[in-house]
Amino acid sequence: MERRKAELIAEIVARPDDLQLRDQLADWLCERGDPRGELIRAQCALARPRRDGDQAERLALRRRERALLRAHEGSWLDELDLVPGEATFRGGFVETLTMPTARLLGLPARLWSRTPIRELHLEGGGAEEVRRLCDKPELEALETLELGWSTMGLAGAEALAASAPCLPGLRALRLTKNGLGLEGAAVLL
């Protein structure tokens, strides 16, 4: 990876809300003919507040976004060891992952340095997988964590509660079908 590109990506991972950084990367990529620059531009434009009379422009951007993803999503995800259906792009980067907990735990560490993961929607696993998940320092920037259909129980709830200081940006925690029971729920309150 070229040095400037790597620097911009590292800055975006550290400051994912800074759309100017994304614009800089988009410019750099477009200058080199990389279509991902177009995706970044389109998705960032769509993320900005709507203006009166911009419906036609937004519709054109949505169409371009879909065309770029149809043409390139597979190769972009392959660079991150991901497959279609596991990831959602926002602002030109994968920001949401949806997969089994064991799959996430098996992904290479470099994933976290290449894209600002903000949301995790995970299924399966038990207390040990939840402990391993909570030990990941990369989750510090996480805003949404959903754990479903697992056997985490009380031990998993305790691991989550212990990791709370390591999740300063967490705004939403969704737990469904986890066998928490009243004791596990109480630990998390």
Side-chain angles (χ1 to χ4, degrees), residues 100-115:
T101 305
R103 166 91 169 107
L104 177 80
L105 292 171
L107 288 172
R110 65 183 162 80
L111 167 72
W112 303 93
S113 65
R114 292 187 176 180
T115 193

Side-chain angles (χ1 to χ4, degrees), residues 25-136:
L25 178 60
D27 291 344
W28 191 91
L29 292 169
C30 285
E31 287 168 7
R32 285 151 184 81
D34 187 330
R36 185 147 172 232
E38 264 191 275
L39 180 69
I40 294 169
R41 280 185 181 159
Q43 288 189 330
C44 286
L46 289 165
R48 289 184 171 96
R50 293 174 182 250
R51 300 179 319 270
D52 286 339
D54 73 346
Q55 291 87 349
E57 177 186 349
R58 292 180 74 78
L59 182 59
L61 286 168
R62 280 274 178 232
R63 286 182 179 143
R64 186 63 187 143
E65 171 194 34
R66 283 194 300 270
L68 288 163
L69 287 170
R70 265 193 311 275
H72 304 285
E73 181 182 32
S75 62
W76 292 333
L77 292 176
D78 193 49
E79 293 172 9
L80 300 170
D81 294 316
L82 299 171
V83 297
E86 289 182 332
T88 304
F89 281 87
R90 256 188 276 147
F93 284 81
V94 169
E95 291 198 3
T96 302
L97 295 176
T98 303
M99 61 185 53
T101 305
R103 166 91 169 107
L104 177 80
L105 292 171
L107 288 172
R110 65 183 162 80
L111 167 72
W112 303 93
S113 65
R114 292 187 176 180
T115 193
I117 307 295
R118 294 175 167 207
E119 292 186 28
L120 289 177
H121 303 275
L122 304 173
E123 286 188 2
E128 181 55 33
E129 286 82 8
V130 171
R131 273 192 216 92
R132 287 179 51 214
L133 179 67
C134 293
D135 286 343
K136 286 191 154 306

